[in-house]
Amino acid sequence: MTYLSRIRINPLRQQSRELLSNPQTMHSHVCAAIPATPDTERLLWRLDTDNPQRPHLIALTRSKPDWTHLVEAAGWPAADDGGHCDIADYTPLLAQLAIGREFTFRLTANPVQNMPRPLRNGDTAGAEDPKTRQRRSSVRTGHRTYAHQLNWLLKRTAGYGFQIPDARTDPGLSILPLDESTPAPDVRIIHRDRVSFNKKNRRQVVLHVATFQGRLQVTDTDLLARALLNGVGPAKAYGCGLLTLAPSRRPNG
């Protein structure tokens, strides 16, 4: 079974500020919510900060989680209204997937590309196995512009089992190289950020992150279910890759 959780974070608490600024620290707290070891199941999470005063952690786990530690450390454990965290069975949503059905979606991702790595002194091209040479001769770099990040997603939708329909109204995507006869896709980037932090080995990690929001249409239920459960793109341990759906407000057809 799979569970989708939504936890309220209090941004004014000291530990909350560390969690909100360091994806590695947040990842460790997400891992602590499940009884299984992190290497036995895929964990996906992201931060939704539409309201900076009420950020939420969204997490997808295969095991049923216990978020008590996170609520006590970074939430509102003494609040009277409850609602500190919501945990829902993910199975009903997966059962709704059908070819042609539309959903609204949100995805925080780390759009990247592989760039040639300059040869250093002493390197000899062509002296290694081709696959090894390819790994050593390229480096993964993040897309930094709105247009490149958006195109990164649009080029990959088929592989994730969906397509993005034309926008019903102009979403203001004139930044894309579309001619006047080509309708704009119904997706936009609602947040972009450069995230930098140090790992335990003191190596600095820099991520260029984009949050996409829009409308999708299912083209392959198996591929989409796999994307929902396993994530989209790299940096999944650091709050990227979680694709979430909600029923489209407008009926199909």
Side-chain angles (χ1 to χ4, degrees), residues 3-9 44-51 54-61 65 67 70-71 82-89 106 242 244:
Y3 300 89
L4 186 68
S5 302
R6 184 172 184 262
I7 304 96
R8 290 194 304 174
I9 304 296
L44 297 172
W45 64 272
R46 75 163 185 257
L47 286 170
D48 283 351
T49 57
D50 305 60
N51 181 351
R54 293 292 187 272
H56 288 85
L57 169 69
I58 312 297
L60 188 72
T61 61
W67 299 105
L70 187 58
V71 172
H84 308 302
C85 68
D86 299 307
I87 303 174
D89 180 6
R106 178 174 290 195
L242 176 57
T244 55

Side-chain angles (χ1 to χ4, degrees), residues 117-125:
R117 185 195 301 273
L119 292 177
R120 296 174 297 180
N121 292 336
D123 288 345
T124 55

Side-chain angles (χ1 to χ4, degrees), residues 207-249:
L207 304 175
H208 293 275
V209 175
T211 298
F212 304 89
Q213 184 167 291
R215 185 167 54 99
L216 63 77
Q217 185 179 60
V218 182
T219 57
D220 188 307
T221 57
D222 290 337
L223 288 177
L224 181 53
R226 191 179 309 163
L228 291 169
L229 295 173
N230 298 328
V232 172
K236 296 181 180 70
Y238 302 132
C240 298
L242 176 57
L243 172 67
T244 55
L245 307 181
S248 180
R249 295 179 180 178

Side-chain angles (χ1 to χ4, degrees), residues 79-155:
D80 295 331
D81 61 345
H84 308 302
C85 68
D86 299 307
I87 303 174
D89 180 6
Y90 208 51
T91 306
L93 183 135
L94 296 176
Q96 294 179 39
L97 300 183
I99 294 177
R101 181 164 186 182
E102 292 186 0
F103 295 87
T104 58
F105 76 91
R106 178 174 290 195
L107 165 69
T108 294
N110 174 218
V112 297
Q113 61 181 329
N114 290 323
M115 299 291 291
R117 185 195 301 273
L119 292 177
R120 296 174 297 180
N121 292 336
D123 288 345
T124 55
E128 300 176 299
D129 172 81
K131 292 183 179 179
T132 303
R133 186 169 64 249
Q134 182 179 9
R135 287 195 300 269
R136 294 188 177 182
S137 62
S138 64
V139 58
R140 178 181 288 177
T141 60
H143 286 298
R144 302 184 182 186
T145 69
Y146 187 109
H148 284 115
Q149 290 174 342
L150 191 57
N151 278 318
W152 174 89
L153 176 64
L154 294 175
K155 290 178 180 179

